Amino acid sequence: MSVWEKIEELEKQIDKFKSLSVEEHIEVDEVIVILKEKINDLHKNLTSWDRTRMARHIDRPKFLDYVPKLFNYFQEIGGDRKFKNDNAIICGLASLDKRKVVVIGQEKGKDTSDKIYRNFGMSHPEGYWKTIRVMKLAEKFGLPLLLFVDTPGAYPGIGAEERGQLVAIAENLYELSGIRIPIIVTILGEGGSGGALALGVGDRLLMMENAIYSVISPEGCAAILWRDASKAEQAANALKISAFDLKEFGIIHEIIQEPGGGAHKDFNAAADKLKKSIKNSLNKLVKVPIDELLDQRYNMLRKFGVFKEK
Amino acid sequence: MSVWEKIEELEKQIDKFKSLSVEEHIEVDEVIVILKEKINDLHKNLTSWDRTRMARHIDRPKFLDYVPKLFNYFQEIGGDRKFKNDNAIICGLASLDKRKVVVIGQEKGKDTSDKIYRNFGMSHPEGYWKTIRVMKLAEKFGLPLLLFVDTPGAYPGIGAEERGQLVAIAENLYELSGIRIPIIVTILGEGGSGGALALGVGDRLLMMENAIYSVISPEGCAAILWRDASKAEQAANALKISAFDLKEFGIIHEIIQEPGGGAHKDFNAAADKLKKSIKNSLNKLVKVPIDELLDQRYNMLRKFGVFKEK
Amino acid sequence: MTAWLKKSILKKKEPDNQWIKCPDCAEILYKNLLIDNINVCTRCGHHFRLSPDGWLGYLVNRGTFKEINENIQSVDPLDFSDAKERYVDKLNRSMKKTGMKSAIITGVGKIGKQKACLGIMNFAFLGGSMGSVLGEKVARLFEHAIELSLPVILISASGGARMHEGIYSLLQMAKTSAAIRKHSEAGQLYISIMTDPTTGGVSASFSALGDIMIGEPGALIGFAGPRVIEQTIKQKLPPKFQTAEFLYDHGMLDMIVNRKELKSILIELLTFFG
Amino acid sequence: MTAWLKKSILKKKEPDNQWIKCPDCAEILYKNLLIDNINVCTRCGHHFRLSPDGWLGYLVNRGTFKEINENIQSVDPLDFSDAKERYVDKLNRSMKKTGMKSAIITGVGKIGKQKACLGIMNFAFLGGSMGSVLGEKVARLFEHAIELSLPVILISASGGARMHEGIYSLLQMAKTSAAIRKHSEAGQLYISIMTDPTTGGVSASFSALGDIMIGEPGALIGFAGPRVIEQTIKQKLPPKFQTAEFLYDHGMLDMIVNRKELKSILIELLTFFG
Ligand SMILES: [Zn+2]
Ligand SMILES: [Zn+2]
């Protein structure tokens, strides 16, 4: 039985005890507490592949779910001013309690028609041009930028290539590396490849406990290196794409703890934790003089990588 | 007989005398000189409609004809980095004798297939995005910008509207008004409407003697205000669109004199004059501190317009 | 009281028994009720054009609006006449008809708790065409906003250039764009609201340069006029072409806002950026 | 003499009787003549891939190239193994095969009269994939160019990311882009040359950020790999899709330059901006 299956089994048990408690008036609260702790423990042992399944879970909260939980004001603003309003990326003006921020998030969509409308969170170049337009608006007004990542990757299609997916992503990296406002990146679910990285450059990188962040999808990696897409589990684990892996690598700053079973099991709790972390980070970042912040950002980016010399 | 027809008649006479001179060895040089002077005099009396016909004359030199005459080095650079390389606008790195400049010019094309390739000099938004991309390159390297205008107007089509012709033109005006390099605009032929103005903002505005610059094509104006497109002649003259009109209005700085009969009659002479004027202007502009230049540019733009107050 | 305000009050005294047919749903609307509904069809939500006084009455706190540069007036720099009449005569007719001296009212007022510079175009004045006066008033509005460190809200409605002023008309595009840049460099907010119709030179200059660009539902917005395009491409235009909705889909607008919600959206935006 | 240079000289001593078939025109080409022709088919002009030593021999004035950071080498931060072998073993094989320690050579040399920082990728080294070492060498190259106030010319050839280094590989895109921004802010010129193939992470980071972007004729250039796209959209790709010519038409490149003319174009560009 995999860790994942064990957790599912324990969750079933909890449900059983809960109904016992309600229907038969048997007091089993203590048992439930113990089982939940057990689940939390097991969670720490989830593999990268388990996390991948969690990150893609059908019930997992999406960016638009977080919006009302995090912000008391949110006004979407649209458009790249050039070609199309890409619905896979949502931009907005927002208030995080009293602090004004600009928000850019990737949205995968909820039901089937919404998923299609959002192109499953896979942006075309116009999505990335929109983010550049909006981040410059944020820069003009000195507003901190909050980026939320949740995408299988940039869309691989004819139109996307025609309109220069490569330039659009590169320009995002270029702009974010030097834009003169504080940036906080949160990886909510799937951090897929260059399409995620395009919104992944900032001063502080947060990652939900069950999110993943990878150079290539496990399936893609398996197809190439195992010559068998069904070897995604091996690939995922070999790629080390969990939040705990990335924390160990020193790449992300903070893991946002999720409730046992994932953010969707107690979304309010997950969103609260995220909000608290973003606020803490923001409070620190806004105090840093902007030139110093840019130096820190550059140094952080510069240090990414492991190699030997001589 | 209109002024235009008189000139054509005199030109025929000159040709006759020239052949007399060659075939019959009759010395008539003095007569030819007098006739040419006559033509030059008549030219000053050409109406706006006559100028329109000259500006659109099939033999009139186009931007690409001027390039080798003006520049000893010219390297075209392409692309808006977003959608398409618009062939109605050509950008290049160039040397004007020893001075490095960046050049952006509208090109109508020569023969039929070339005209189609150039879309008759009518840009889509991608042409204007290309100019912004290239002018920022010029700004990065502190290179003066030479703009050459020759277009019936921005292209009125479905794709052009879909891709935001209005934003593209407005952004050009916005960028040119504040870009931190000297700009010289030369209206070579047709300065048609917003599509021309998008490349028409600079520190110094030159205009070929037989060029026109108008808010709307004479035909368009006639169709609306005369409800009859064939009244283009009346409209052209009412609109006052000749170089002499614009000089009188104080809108352009300098008229580049063309040979009698138009630039195509002695293209070398016309191009020489233009080159000399551009060089003179450039020599003056590069000496002005950039902030002062920007103030002057703003004041010039601010003064455009006539009205009464109170 | 400025001339146009007097006029607008006079207008209200016109006989009330007027009815208007909605072009979208064909409902026959009682004119006074329509005005009370800020010229939005009570049945289908069709947005009728709104006059500057209608806009001011709706958006600006009562008694807070101070018009500026109200005395700038057009002249006839080209001595222009078309087939029918002289430009000066046309101008005089328009001034009489609208009670305004130009196609735009500019000034400073309060919206909610926020002060803002406001420009409101009047399509009824020669089709909201842009001549020297419009350009000058827009440029001065932005300069005024720089001096006072205020945001600008500009409501556009224009058929294009004031051809009668020839090249001067065209150059207003450059003049207004330059003034907007100064305002932007001063760190100030500019909200552009595009109403039906916003086309031609206005659409391709100050209207298209907002930090935030808002379109009214169903408004015709575009650079080239639809008829010019049809003549050029020799085919029918697709439905919804050059509507605000079309522009939003193509990434040109930040949002489409129903007129009834516009005021609260504007207050929120002014507060957010304030 | 660096290891790869020795190796390249050794290569030249290999038996000469080798023939290569041109994939475009099917001409059978004598290998040494092809090398003399900088790997351009003498019949149809097809551009074969060129190794870093080929590029250096062609572009850089003899004896002027000084390699930098030649001793940076890959490690195996994930302890990665795929179906067949460990990443460290794969690395060792590649190093042996190519005589290089990474997929890029960086250094300073003279082209004509101009000094420039140069980066040349080697597709033969694990498909020119970008891992920590490639990213580090590119970033250092631009930082070196800032110190020396020099332009950078970078010749790309890459199949994408070095998956074996996981997230480190992805992050090189951000690292290199940030270094390029520093170089650009210092006012320096960057010419990006995209050769066959330039795809994936390399294409969407430093390759796409040139002040001037040059493609080689026929080169495959794109973000997503053609096979991935075909699988996603479930249809055949159009001919010429993702070629340099396709990218030029779509506004992504400044020019397409035949290899034989590249040197003189580069000299002109370096002189122009110099
Ligand atoms: Zn209705
Ligand atoms: Zn061949």
Side-chain angles (χ1 to χ4, degrees):
Chain A
M1 206 185 262
S2 74
V3 182
W4 177 271
E5 286 160 328
K6 281 182 199 159
I7 290 173
E8 284 189 332
E9 185 54 39
L10 288 177
E11 278 173 354
K12 268 185 216 152
Q13 297 291 342
I14 290 177
D15 286 343
K16 233 179 253 168
F17 280 114
K18 276 184 181 165
S19 64
L20 276 182
S21 154
V22 173
E23 289 158 24
E24 315 291 339
H25 302 284
I26 306 172
E27 269 299 333
V28 285
D29 283 5
E30 276 172 58
V31 180
I32 291 177
V33 167
I34 292 167
L35 286 176
K36 280 192 171 174
E37 269 169 24
K38 200 86 201 151
I39 288 176
N40 281 337
D41 285 348
L42 281 169
H43 253 277
K44 283 172 198 141
N45 297 319
L46 283 174
T47 64
S48 273
W49 178 243
D50 294 325
R51 302 288 179 184
T52 304
R53 289 171 69 186
M54 288 289 266
R56 295 170 176 173
H57 196 287
I58 189 162
D59 293 331
R60 189 166 179 80
K62 307 293 190 298
F63 168 65
L64 278 183
D65 295 316
Y66 281 97
V67 163
K69 302 275 180 193
L70 298 177
F71 308 116
N72 43 319
Y73 167 69
F74 184 82
Q75 171 62 58
E76 185 175 350
I77 54 176
D80 62 344
R81 303 279 192 270
K82 284 169 189 77
F83 187 79
K84 209 158 200 75
N85 185 42
D86 191 325
N87 294 308
I89 290 184
I90 294 166
C91 303
L93 314 169
S95 297
L96 182 70
D97 292 334
K98 285 188 180 170
R99 195 179 301 284
K100 273 86 174 251
V101 293
V102 170
V103 174
I104 303 177
Q106 292 169 326
E107 173 61 44
K108 286 179 165 182
K110 303 290 276 186
D111 57 35
T112 306
S113 75
D114 189 36
K115 279 176 185 161
I116 291 167
Y117 178 69
R118 301 289 176 196
N119 201 33
F120 301 87
M122 294 184 283
S123 285
H124 285 77
E126 43 271 25
Y128 299 113
W129 294 124
K130 173 162 76 171
T131 67
I132 290 180
R133 203 267 297 176
V134 171
M135 77 176 77
K136 293 202 166 184
L137 183 74
E139 189 182 36
K140 173 177 168 181
F141 293 98
L143 299 164
L145 187 61
L146 306 186
L147 302 174
F148 295 90
V149 173
D150 189 15
T151 180
Y155 186 67
I158 291 179
E161 295 292 315
E162 283 176 342
R163 300 195 291 278
Q165 195 72 282
L166 73 183
V167 176
I169 291 175
E171 290 284 345
N172 256 267
L173 301 174
Y174 183 91
E175 294 296 344
L176 283 173
S177 76
I179 202 149
R180 300 177 65 78
I181 42 175
I183 311 170
I184 298 173
V185 177
T186 306
I187 301 169
L188 291 176
E190 244 183 310
S193 188
L197 181 68
L199 263 67
V201 175
D203 300 301
R204 196 137 178 106
L205 272 56
L206 317 180
M207 198 162 166
M208 299 301 293
E209 184 184 343
N210 291 306
I212 56 167
Y213 194 10
S214 180
V215 65
I216 186 169
S217 71
E219 291 78 3
C221 180
I224 299 171
L225 294 184
W226 276 259
R227 297 182 188 281
D228 180 356
S230 72
K231 295 284 193 293
E233 178 164 0
Q234 280 99 312
N237 294 335
L239 284 167
K240 300 197 166 76
I241 58 183
S242 78
F244 295 93
D245 292 323
L246 268 77
K247 186 77 174 62
E248 207 179 297
F249 297 157
I251 284 164
I252 59 164
H253 297 92
E254 195 180 335
I255 297 174
I256 313 299
Q257 206 196 318
E258 295 185 24
H264 55 290
K265 292 290 175 187
D266 185 354
F267 180 40
N268 281 331
D272 275 355
K273 285 223 167 84
L274 176 57
K275 184 172 176 178
K276 209 167 284 172
S277 286
I278 290 177
K279 282 185 73 174
N280 278 341
S281 289
L282 216 41
N283 287 337
K284 282 175 205 152
L285 290 180
V286 294
K287 281 182 198 129
V288 184
I290 189 68
D291 286 318
E292 204 180 311
L293 193 73
L294 284 173
D295 283 347
Q296 287 173 14
R297 190 186 304 162
Y298 186 72
N299 291 335
M300 182 185 85
L301 294 170
R302 260 317 262 111
K303 274 180 199 138
F304 287 148
V306 185
F307 51 86
K308 65 181 173 192
E309 200 160 1
K310 177 94 215 181
Chain B
M1 207 185 261
S2 74
V3 182
W4 176 271
E5 286 160 329
K6 281 182 199 161
I7 290 172
E8 285 192 332
E9 185 54 40
L10 288 176
E11 277 173 355
K12 270 186 212 149
Q13 297 291 342
I14 290 178
D15 287 344
K16 233 180 251 169
F17 280 113
K18 275 184 182 165
S19 65
L20 276 180
S21 155
V22 174
E23 287 159 25
E24 313 291 340
H25 302 286
I26 305 171
E27 270 297 334
V28 284
D29 282 4
E30 278 172 57
V31 180
I32 291 177
V33 167
I34 292 167
L35 288 175
K36 281 192 172 174
E37 271 169 21
K38 201 82 200 155
I39 289 176
N40 280 339
D41 285 348
L42 281 170
H43 253 279
K44 283 170 197 144
N45 297 318
L46 283 174
T47 64
S48 273
W49 178 243
D50 294 326
R51 302 288 177 183
T52 304
R53 290 171 68 187
M54 290 288 267
R56 296 170 176 173
H57 196 287
I58 189 161
D59 293 332
R60 188 164 180 83
K62 306 292 189 300
F63 169 65
L64 278 182
D65 296 315
Y66 281 97
V67 162
K69 303 276 180 191
L70 299 178
F71 308 115
N72 43 319
Y73 167 69
F74 184 82
Q75 171 63 56
E76 185 176 348
I77 55 175
D80 62 344
R81 302 278 192 270
K82 284 169 189 76
F83 186 80
K84 205 156 204 77
N85 186 41
D86 191 325
N87 294 307
I89 290 184
I90 294 166
C91 302
L93 314 169
S95 297
L96 182 70
D97 294 334
K98 285 188 179 170
R99 191 175 308 279
K100 274 85 174 251
V101 292
V102 169
V103 174
I104 302 177
Q106 293 169 325
E107 173 62 43
K108 285 179 166 182
K110 304 290 277 184
D111 58 35
T112 306
S113 75
D114 189 35
K115 279 176 184 161
I116 292 167
Y117 178 69
R118 300 291 176 194
N119 201 33
F120 302 89
M122 293 183 284
S123 286
H124 285 76
E126 43 271 26
Y128 299 113
W129 293 124
K130 174 161 75 169
T131 68
I132 289 179
R133 203 267 297 176
V134 170
M135 76 176 79
K136 293 203 166 184
L137 184 74
E139 189 182 37
K140 172 176 169 180
F141 293 99
L143 299 164
L145 187 62
L146 305 185
L147 303 174
F148 295 90
V149 173
D150 190 13
T151 180
Y155 187 67
I158 291 178
E161 296 293 316
E162 283 176 342
R163 299 194 291 280
Q165 194 72 281
L166 74 183
V167 176
I169 291 175
E171 290 285 344
N172 256 266
L173 301 174
Y174 183 91
E175 294 295 344
L176 283 172
S177 76
I179 202 151
R180 300 177 65 80
I181 43 174
I183 312 171
I184 297 173
V185 177
T186 305
I187 301 168
L188 291 175
E190 245 180 312
S193 188
L197 181 68
L199 265 68
V201 175
D203 300 302
R204 200 142 173 100
L205 272 57
L206 317 180
M207 197 162 164
M208 299 300 292
E209 184 184 342
N210 291 307
I212 54 167
Y213 194 11
S214 180
V215 64
I216 186 171
S217 71
E219 291 79 3
C221 182
I224 298 169
L225 294 185
W226 276 258
R227 298 183 187 280
D228 179 357
S230 73
K231 294 285 192 294
E233 178 164 1
Q234 280 100 308
N237 295 336
L239 285 168
K240 299 200 166 77
I241 58 182
S242 79
F244 294 93
D245 292 323
L246 269 76
K247 186 78 172 61
E248 209 180 294
F249 296 155
I251 285 164
I252 60 164
H253 296 93
E254 196 180 335
I255 297 173
I256 313 299
Q257 207 196 319
E258 295 185 24
H264 54 290
K265 292 290 175 185
D266 186 353
F267 179 41
N268 281 330
D272 276 355
K273 286 224 166 84
L274 176 57
K275 183 172 176 177
K276 208 167 285 171
S277 286
I278 291 176
K279 283 185 71 174
N280 278 341
S281 289
L282 217 41
N283 287 337
K284 281 174 206 154
L285 290 180
V286 295
K287 282 180 198 129
V288 184
I290 189 67
D291 285 318
E292 204 178 313
L293 194 72
L294 285 174
D295 283 347
Q296 286 174 16
R297 191 185 303 162
Y298 185 72
N299 291 334
M300 183 186 84
L301 293 170
R302 256 323 257 108
K303 275 181 197 133
F304 287 148
V306 185
F307 51 86
K308 65 181 175 194
E309 200 159 1
K310 175 96 212 174
Chain C
M1 202 187 305
T2 57
W4 65 266
L5 247 178
K6 274 183 207 151
K7 177 78 187 174
S8 94
I9 289 161
L10 282 174
K11 254 191 204 156
K12 293 253 166 86
K13 288 181 183 160
E14 282 166 18
D16 284 345
N17 54 346
Q18 276 177 288
W19 300 85
I20 286 176
K21 190 177 170 182
C22 174
D24 268 8
C25 72
E27 179 87 347
I28 308 294
L29 301 158
Y30 185 48
K31 201 182 170 187
N32 267 17
L33 279 182
L34 187 62
I35 289 170
D36 287 348
N37 205 38
I38 40 172
N39 278 13
V40 175
C41 173
T42 46
R43 188 175 175 208
C44 76
H46 173 82
H47 284 52
F48 290 85
R49 284 174 195 148
L50 192 58
S51 64
D53 52 317
W55 278 114
L56 285 174
Y58 169 44
L59 288 181
V60 182
N61 301 0
R62 191 186 290 263
T64 65
F65 186 70
K66 285 226 174 76
E67 194 177 353
I68 57 170
N69 300 309
E70 64 266 41
N71 292 320
I72 306 182
Q73 247 176 283
S74 295
V75 295
D76 179 13
L78 308 187
D79 195 13
F80 191 95
S81 302
D82 62 25
K84 284 196 308 189
E85 67 182 329
R86 292 164 63 210
Y87 175 45
V88 280
D89 295 332
K90 195 170 222 142
L91 275 173
N92 286 330
R93 270 200 305 119
S94 271
M95 289 195 278
K96 267 190 196 144
K97 193 185 97 185
T98 60
M100 287 177 70
K101 285 182 180 160
S102 74
I104 192 167
I105 284 170
T106 56
V108 187
K110 269 184 106 172
I111 301 182
K113 289 176 182 169
Q114 309 289 326
K115 231 176 154 185
C117 281
L118 271 151
I120 305 173
M121 291 186 66
N122 186 7
F123 188 74
F125 194 101
L126 286 176
S129 55
M130 174 152 66
S132 296
V133 171
L134 178 54
E136 183 69 19
K137 286 179 86 169
V138 169
R140 288 195 192 177
L141 180 67
F142 281 92
E143 288 170 341
H144 196 63
I146 296 168
E147 267 173 52
L148 303 182
S149 296
L150 285 180
V152 172
I153 297 174
L154 210 152
I155 301 174
S156 296
S158 173
R162 182 80 53 87
M163 287 171 283
H164 318 73
E165 295 185 19
I167 194 70
Y168 291 114
S169 166
L170 183 66
L171 294 172
Q172 304 313 309
M173 293 171 68
K175 183 163 96 179
T176 54
S177 300
I180 288 169
R181 186 171 173 129
K182 290 273 182 203
H183 184 252
S184 185
E185 283 171 353
Q188 294 300 328
L189 171 73
Y190 166 32
I191 300 173
S192 171
I193 300 167
M194 292 155 121
T195 72
D196 183 69
T198 299
T199 60
V202 164
S203 80
S205 59
F206 60 83
S207 285
L209 293 171
D211 293 306
I212 301 292
M213 305 223 276
I214 297 175
E216 283 212 308
L220 170 73
I221 305 171
F223 177 59
R227 253 179 309 167
V228 175
I229 298 174
E230 278 190 340
Q231 281 163 18
T232 305
I233 63 172
K234 290 174 181 67
Q235 60 186 74
K236 274 264 167 201
L237 295 172
K240 296 267 165 194
F241 182 68
Q242 291 187 319
T243 58
E245 291 73 14
F246 170 94
L247 264 85
Y248 178 80
D249 285 345
H250 284 97
M252 304 304 151
L253 300 176
D254 282 287
M255 47 189 118
I256 295 173
V257 179
N258 281 309
R259 195 173 290 159
K260 291 193 147 191
E261 288 151 26
L262 185 62
K263 185 170 180 175
S264 61
I265 294 264
L266 286 178
I267 289 173
E268 284 172 359
L269 288 173
L270 290 173
T271 308
F272 181 85
F273 286 104
Chain D
M1 200 186 307
T2 57
W4 65 266
L5 247 179
K6 275 184 206 148
K7 176 81 187 176
S8 95
I9 289 160
L10 283 173
K11 255 191 203 156
K12 291 257 165 81
K13 286 181 183 162
E14 283 167 14
D16 284 346
N17 55 349
Q18 277 179 287
W19 300 85
I20 285 177
K21 189 175 170 183
C22 174
D24 267 7
C25 72
E27 179 88 348
I28 308 293
L29 301 159
Y30 185 49
K31 200 183 171 184
N32 266 17
L33 279 182
L34 186 62
I35 289 170
D36 287 349
N37 205 39
I38 41 172
N39 277 13
V40 175
C41 172
T42 47
R43 190 176 174 209
C44 77
H46 172 84
H47 284 52
F48 290 85
R49 283 174 195 150
L50 192 58
S51 64
D53 52 319
W55 277 114
L56 285 174
Y58 169 45
L59 289 182
V60 182
N61 301 358
R62 189 185 292 263
T64 65
F65 186 72
K66 286 223 174 77
E67 195 178 352
I68 57 170
N69 300 310
E70 64 266 42
N71 292 321
I72 306 182
Q73 248 177 279
S74 295
V75 295
D76 180 12
L78 307 188
D79 196 13
F80 192 95
S81 301
D82 62 25
K84 285 196 310 191
E85 69 182 329
R86 292 165 62 211
Y87 175 44
V88 281
D89 296 332
K90 195 169 222 146
L91 275 173
N92 286 332
R93 273 200 304 119
S94 270
M95 289 195 277
K96 263 189 199 148
K97 194 186 99 187
T98 61
M100 285 176 71
K101 284 182 183 159
S102 74
I104 192 168
I105 284 169
T106 57
V108 187
K110 270 183 103 172
I111 301 181
K113 288 174 182 169
Q114 309 289 326
K115 231 176 157 184
C117 282
L118 271 152
I120 306 172
M121 292 187 66
N122 187 7
F123 188 75
F125 193 100
L126 285 177
S129 55
M130 174 150 68
S132 296
V133 171
L134 178 54
E136 183 69 19
K137 286 179 85 169
V138 168
R140 287 195 193 178
L141 180 67
F142 280 92
E143 287 171 340
H144 196 63
I146 296 168
E147 268 173 51
L148 303 181
S149 294
L150 285 180
V152 172
I153 297 174
L154 209 152
I155 301 174
S156 296
S158 173
R162 182 80 54 86
M163 286 170 284
H164 318 72
E165 295 185 19
I167 195 67
Y168 291 114
S169 166
L170 183 67
L171 294 171
Q172 304 312 309
M173 293 172 68
K175 182 161 97 178
T176 54
S177 300
I180 287 170
R181 185 171 173 130
K182 290 271 182 205
H183 184 253
S184 185
E185 282 171 351
Q188 294 299 330
L189 173 72
Y190 166 33
I191 301 173
S192 170
I193 301 167
M194 292 156 121
T195 72
D196 184 70
T198 299
T199 60
V202 164
S203 80
S205 59
F206 61 82
S207 285
L209 293 171
D211 294 305
I212 302 291
M213 305 223 275
I214 298 174
E216 282 213 310
L220 171 72
I221 305 171
F223 177 60
R227 252 179 308 165
V228 175
I229 298 173
E230 277 188 340
Q231 280 163 15
T232 305
I233 64 172
K234 292 176 178 69
Q235 61 186 73
K236 274 264 167 203
L237 295 172
K240 296 269 167 190
F241 182 68
Q242 293 187 318
T243 59
E245 292 74 12
F246 170 93
L247 265 86
Y248 178 80
D249 286 344
H250 283 97
M252 304 303 152
L253 300 176
D254 282 287
M255 48 189 118
I256 294 173
V257 179
N258 281 308
R259 196 174 290 160
K260 290 194 146 188
E261 288 151 25
L262 184 62
K263 184 170 181 174
S264 61
I265 294 264
L266 287 178
I267 289 173
E268 283 172 359
L269 287 173
L270 291 172
T271 309
F272 181 85
F273 287 103

